[in-house]
Amino acid sequence: MTIQEAQEIVDKWIKSNGVRYFNELTNTAMLMEEVGEVARIMARQYGEQSFKKSDEEVNLADEMADVLFVLICLANQTGINLTDALAKNLQKKTLRDSERHKNNEKLR
């Protein structure tokens, strides 16, 4: 699925299953909550924290999908085409960082 298709699918899902979008502030708070859940898994799975009993059923892919879903909701609500935004962002990063990372001794 393309990013544009994902935006369309989420919009249809919201309108048929979610009744309406939560407001932008609520969705921003939800995005932070979902990113926190990803961070929690990362700290335990790849970092130095240990899992607790309540963490036994965690699913990193599902939590990342939750982040993507809410981000798409926010993009839809604010009229942002994520395909265009990502293309412009990659162009910006390429112009700004193309030599920077190649010359970074820490990455060798």
Side-chain angles (χ1 to χ4, degrees), residues 85-96:
L86 181 58
K88 288 175 186 172
N89 187 270
L90 286 170
Q91 182 179 26
K92 174 189 77 174
K93 284 175 173 37
T94 300
L95 291 172
R96 182 189 67 200

Side-chain angles (χ1 to χ4, degrees), residues 23-38:
N23 68 40
E24 294 85 352
L25 183 56
T26 299
N27 273 336
T28 299
M30 290 174 61
L31 179 61
M32 296 306 102
E33 180 181 337
E34 297 299 349
V35 168
E37 291 176 14
V38 169

Side-chain angles (χ1 to χ4, degrees), residues 6 15 24 26 39 46 61 65 69 74-75 85 102 104:
K15 290 174 179 171
E24 294 85 352
T26 299
Y46 300 100
F69 180 88
L74 282 165
K102 291 176 188 172
N104 184 348

Side-chain angles (χ1 to χ4, degrees), residues 4 8 10 12 18 27 30 33 35 38 42-43 49-50 52 54 59 64-65 74 85 87 91 97 100 103 107:
Q4 182 60 44
E8 293 167 5
V10 167
K12 287 178 186 170
N27 273 336
M30 290 174 61
E33 180 181 337
V35 168
V38 169
M42 296 298 290
Q49 284 191 339
S50 59
K52 295 189 266 184
S54 59
N59 182 326
M64 286 185 175
L74 282 165
Q91 182 179 26
D97 299 333
R100 176 178 157 223
N103 296 324
L107 297 177

Side-chain angles (χ1 to χ4, degrees), residues 30-82:
M30 290 174 61
L31 179 61
M32 296 306 102
E33 180 181 337
E34 297 299 349
V35 168
E37 291 176 14
V38 169
R40 179 184 184 96
I41 294 170
M42 296 298 290
R44 284 157 175 72
Q45 192 164 338
Y46 300 100
E48 297 171 338
Q49 284 191 339
S50 59
F51 283 96
K52 295 189 266 184
K53 279 238 187 264
S54 59
D55 295 328
E56 289 176 356
E57 298 297 319
V58 297
N59 182 326
L60 182 58
D62 187 55
E63 296 303 335
M64 286 185 175
D66 284 343
V67 169
L68 184 59
F69 180 88
V70 179
L71 183 65
I72 289 171
C73 286
L74 282 165
N76 286 350
Q77 290 176 276
T78 57
I80 293 173
N81 179 313
L82 285 172

